[in-house]
Amino acid sequence: MRLLIAEDDKLHRSFLEGVSRDTLPELDELITAADGEDAIAAFGASDFDSVVLDLQMPKVTGVEVAKSIWARKPHTKILFWSNYTEEAYIRGITKIVPPEAVYGYILKSAPEEQLKLALQGVFIAEQCVIDREVRSVQQRAGDRLSGLSELEFEALVDLCLGLTDKAIAARRHVSLRGAQSRLQHLYQKLGLEKGDLPAGPWGPSFNSRTRAISLALSQGILNADALRREEKNLQDWLSSQGE
Amino acid sequence: MRLLIAEDDKLHRSFLEGVSRDTLPELDELITAADGEDAIAAFGASDFDSVVLDLQMPKVTGVEVAKSIWARKPHTKILFWSNYTEEAYIRGITKIVPPEAVYGYILKSAPEEQLKLALQGVFIAEQCVIDREVRSVQQRAGDRLSGLSELEFEALVDLCLGLTDKAIAARRHVSLRGAQSRLQHLYQKLGLEKGDLPAGPWGPSFNSRTRAISLALSQGILNADALRREEKNLQDWLSSQGE
DNA sequence: AGCAAATTTGCGGAGACCCGCAAACGTGTT
DNA sequence: AACACGTTTGCGGGTCTCCGCAAATTTGCT
């Protein structure tokens, strides 16, 4: 068994390394990487069947690392080890996990015992181990009523990137009104009712467009990291339009 | 010497505790807290002259803890120990540090040696120890040209909370046009030039209002935590208006 | 005091946005 | 086929936003 660990925080990395050595008797080799780029490079340089990924890393996100890994070897077992249950990450993961892959998702705040169980569960027993909290977010995202549909999520991303209605329409290949329609549905789902706030004598308190961003951020549906990532996609699209 | 350590991450907390014991020979007592609330409670319950604070903590931010501490005992020595150099935090700190206080700011990514020096520097030698990276952000924020003025920063906060121009005007006691003017200056400072992006044939790509938020987030001027905090202030103000 | 820079304000118009109403679709279910 | 549900689209009007121009005001510094 050959294990790759990618984690930027020094302490967490060495802690994880120690626990892995104690918990996985069949361990033949263990390599660590301090950021996403290194992780991808290391994975290409050697032959791993198991990987532990922190999600929040400099340069390249854990999600992107996973995508690159699974694209090359879909049967690689991956355990995600992260601080938060950001919906953006969870969405990203469930979208890229291949059907045959074994993976797990555990929080750093979990007790050491749970980490050990997850390591053994995913890498030895080959079962999917998903933290309870993460699971609940995952379900909520999949639920049509409380969660956002994929289309609405796209709209949210574009909105947060600062695009205009027209630009959203162009990017997603719908009419102007279509884009606006998606936005309206989004507003509703986020809990942005028109008469929600008792507008004072100085008019309505909230601008729907910006308030939506605020709500999405505070609800953890998006975060600054996810935005930076999407910004890249946007730039790619923009330059492809310029041709 | 009596030291209080506030840090939510288990590993970092025990690591910091160990280093402190090794580095500070005059240490009489050491108490740890796992979140902001606990930290404030602990500080009230005993008598500390030195505090180490993580900035990103559940419930109550390190900045708020510092505010509460300095409000009671302005001569308390505080060392901030954080992951990032978020401008929002740095702004918050420089705004609340009393003239007589000794404090330091060091990053978690710094080598252990630097942490030791910072501990000794702040708590024993009573000098201000500010990490080089942090210092540069601090200066940029204070600079009138590249940084945002206090007024523009306020506007940014209101903008990110989702307020309308009218609401911003009311909240900040200026005319509607005044609020808009602040926003325009803000747009400029953030690098949002009108012809910046070669608007495609489908019109201007960016909505200034939302694009400004996007830029502020990706530049780390604001973060989700800061927003959640400001949201509280906003709610207070809103309810005070209702009366 | 005196000057320069920053900030605020009014006016006004072009454009963007929000959204109710109503009519097509598409997909999957019964 | 008939039906429900989600999504898309056009239209139209009311509102909000953006911003150039110009003048009044405040602030900071010498």
Side-chain angles (χ1 to χ4, degrees):
Chain A
M1 169 176 176
R2 303 168 58 79
L3 176 64
L4 172 65
I5 291 180
E7 157 70 61
D8 58 327
D9 185 286
K10 236 181 315 176
L11 283 177
H12 288 158
R13 189 167 61 240
S14 61
F15 167 73
L16 190 51
E17 186 174 343
V19 174
S20 299
R21 289 195 195 283
D22 291 346
T23 314
L24 304 170
E26 312 174 25
L27 200 58
D28 295 318
E29 186 169 1
L30 193 160
I31 302 282
T32 63
D35 68 54
E37 266 180 17
D38 285 359
I40 293 180
F43 187 83
S46 186
D47 197 45
F48 298 97
D49 47 41
S50 306
V51 182
V52 180
L53 289 179
D54 184 14
L55 289 183
Q56 219 164 179
M57 284 188 295
K59 300 181 188 172
V60 182
T61 317
V63 180
E64 290 170 292
V65 177
K67 191 174 174 183
S68 151
I69 287 178
W70 275 331
R72 207 167 333 161
K73 295 168 78 180
H75 57 282
T76 309
K77 289 163 280 187
I78 299 184
L79 176 61
F80 297 98
W81 194 52
S82 172
N83 262 322
Y84 317 100
T85 62
E86 295 277 355
E87 185 169 328
Y89 287 144
I90 297 178
R91 238 172 223 278
I93 290 175
T94 52
K95 222 163 51 180
I96 62 168
V97 50
E100 68 265 42
V102 173
Y103 81 103
Y105 196 138
I106 187 171
L107 296 177
K108 287 187 181 176
S109 58
E112 191 171 332
E113 202 46 48
Q114 282 191 32
L115 173 60
K116 288 183 179 173
L117 284 177
L119 283 169
Q120 293 175 327
V122 173
F123 296 139
I124 298 179
E126 306 211 330
Q127 50 200 0
C128 288
V129 179
I130 313 239
D131 186 281
R132 158 204 299 269
E133 264 189 88
V134 177
R135 181 74 199 137
S136 83
V137 174
Q138 207 175 43
Q139 274 190 320
R140 184 160 54 80
D143 183 6
R144 304 240 140 197
L145 290 175
S146 55
L148 273 55
S149 79
E150 198 55 38
L151 292 176
E152 285 149 2
F153 188 74
E154 279 183 2
L156 175 62
V157 169
D158 291 346
L159 178 71
C160 290
L161 287 174
L163 295 180
T164 60
D165 289 5
K166 268 187 202 160
I168 298 177
R171 189 179 186 199
R172 304 304 182 182
H173 308 295
V174 291
S175 74
L176 175 63
R177 192 58 183 78
Q180 292 180 330
S181 177
R182 289 184 183 185
L183 286 176
Q184 269 188 258
H185 291 158
L186 175 66
Y187 296 155
Q188 254 182 280
K189 291 278 186 75
L190 288 174
L192 215 169
E193 313 266 334
K194 198 194 241 173
D196 193 7
L197 270 291
W202 21 270
S205 315
F206 290 121
N207 171 314
S208 318
R209 211 175 180 78
T210 48
R211 185 59 178 171
I213 302 182
S214 169
L215 290 174
L217 286 175
S218 67
Q219 289 174 24
I221 300 174
L222 265 186
N223 63 11
D225 260 344
L227 269 189
R228 270 184 276 266
R229 209 179 331 145
E230 292 293 347
E231 177 76 29
K232 267 190 239 156
N233 296 344
L234 174 62
Q235 294 301 338
D236 290 347
W237 177 78
L238 274 180
S239 55
S240 80
Q241 288 308 96
E243 293 161 6
Chain B
M1 170 176 177
R2 305 168 56 79
L3 176 64
L4 172 64
I5 292 180
E7 159 69 64
D8 58 326
D9 185 286
K10 239 181 312 176
L11 283 177
H12 288 159
R13 190 168 57 240
S14 61
F15 167 72
L16 189 52
E17 186 174 343
V19 173
S20 299
R21 288 196 195 282
D22 291 348
T23 314
L24 304 170
E26 311 175 24
L27 200 58
D28 296 317
E29 186 169 2
L30 194 160
I31 303 282
T32 62
D35 67 53
E37 266 181 17
D38 286 358
I40 293 179
F43 187 82
S46 188
D47 197 45
F48 297 98
D49 47 41
S50 306
V51 183
V52 180
L53 289 179
D54 183 15
L55 289 183
Q56 217 164 181
M57 286 188 294
K59 301 180 189 173
V60 181
T61 316
V63 180
E64 290 170 293
V65 176
K67 191 174 173 184
S68 151
I69 287 178
W70 275 331
R72 206 165 336 158
K73 294 168 80 181
H75 56 283
T76 309
K77 290 163 278 186
I78 299 185
L79 176 61
F80 297 98
W81 193 53
S82 173
N83 262 321
Y84 317 101
T85 62
E86 295 276 357
E87 184 169 327
Y89 287 144
I90 297 179
R91 236 172 225 282
I93 290 175
T94 52
K95 221 163 50 180
I96 62 167
V97 50
E100 69 265 43
V102 172
Y103 81 104
Y105 197 138
I106 187 171
L107 297 176
K108 287 187 182 177
S109 57
E112 190 172 332
E113 203 45 48
Q114 282 191 31
L115 173 60
K116 287 183 180 174
L117 284 177
L119 283 169
Q120 294 175 326
V122 173
F123 296 140
I124 297 179
E126 307 211 330
Q127 50 200 359
C128 287
V129 178
I130 315 248
D131 185 282
R132 157 207 297 266
E133 267 189 86
V134 177
R135 182 75 199 135
S136 82
V137 175
Q138 208 174 43
Q139 273 189 319
R140 184 160 54 79
D143 184 7
R144 304 240 139 199
L145 290 175
S146 55
L148 275 52
S149 77
E150 198 55 36
L151 292 176
E152 285 150 2
F153 189 74
E154 280 183 1
L156 175 62
V157 169
D158 291 346
L159 178 70
C160 289
L161 287 174
L163 295 180
T164 61
D165 289 4
K166 266 188 203 161
I168 297 177
R171 188 178 186 198
R172 304 303 182 182
H173 308 293
V174 291
S175 74
L176 175 63
R177 192 60 182 78
Q180 293 179 330
S181 176
R182 290 185 181 184
L183 286 176
Q184 268 187 257
H185 291 158
L186 175 66
Y187 296 154
Q188 250 182 285
K189 291 278 186 75
L190 288 174
L192 215 169
E193 313 266 334
K194 198 194 236 174
D196 192 9
L197 270 292
W202 20 269
S205 315
F206 289 121
N207 170 314
S208 319
R209 212 175 178 77
T210 47
R211 185 60 178 171
I213 301 181
S214 170
L215 289 174
L217 286 174
S218 68
Q219 289 175 24
I221 300 175
L222 263 187
N223 63 13
D225 259 345
L227 269 190
R228 271 185 276 267
R229 210 177 332 142
E230 291 294 347
E231 176 76 27
K232 267 188 237 158
N233 297 345
L234 173 61
Q235 293 302 337
D236 290 347
W237 177 79
L238 275 179
S239 55
S240 80
Q241 286 309 95
E243 293 161 7

